[in-house]
Amino acid sequence: NTIESKRAMQRALQAEEPTAEPEEEEEAEEEIYSIEQKGQRIEFKLGAACSVLYDDSVWYPGEVTTYTETTCKFRFKLTEGSNTRFAEWLPNDDILVTDYTVVLTPESANCKAIQPGGPPQKSLQGRSNCSAPCRD
């Protein structure tokens, strides 16, 4: 009977395979970003708190939510009284990251920190300072 043969084959294959121990899940390493803010080098992670100077000249609390490599922009959301979300380059005088670590010396910098390009600045060769192909 073919069904019995298939079952026997499956049992034989299962007996040959050693029982694998469950693999430990590797924790995804959070990306760290590094920018110049108010004359000092800072490092922060996505989810960091920030303050946003909005159109009404009032500072609102917000959060850095994501970073998009294709545009070199961060996405932000205001966290009080509004569900406003927007994208902008950092550093930016109207957006201050408030949850950060100051980099005191080059040796204390996280060597894996991503340094976003900020707004595209055309050089003499017509290249921007952003490593990704920046678009608005």
Side-chain angles (χ1 to χ4, degrees), residues 24-95:
E24 291 183 27
E25 290 184 28
E26 289 186 31
E27 223 176 276
E29 199 172 315
E30 288 185 283
E31 291 180 331
I32 296 174
Y33 298 88
S34 179
I35 62 168
E36 191 81 18
Q37 178 176 279
K38 290 195 165 202
Q40 61 185 359
R41 173 71 44 190
I42 65 166
E43 294 177 347
F44 62 94
K45 297 177 183 178
L46 295 179
C50 64
S51 290
V52 179
L53 183 60
Y54 211 63
D55 297 337
D56 60 2
S57 300
V58 175
W59 287 92
Y60 290 93
E63 179 182 325
V64 184
T65 59
T66 59
Y67 175 70
T68 305
E69 289 182 20
T70 56
T71 61
C72 304
K73 287 185 176 183
F74 286 90
R75 291 204 49 79
F76 302 89
K77 72 175 180 180
L78 299 184
T79 55
E80 284 186 16
S82 173
N83 208 12
T84 302
R85 297 170 186 265
F86 61 95
E88 192 56 69
W89 290 291
L90 285 179
N92 185 315
D93 291 338
D94 294 343
I95 303 168

Side-chain angles (χ1 to χ4, degrees), residues 19-25:
T19 306
E21 292 184 29
E23 292 181 24
E24 291 183 27
E25 290 184 28

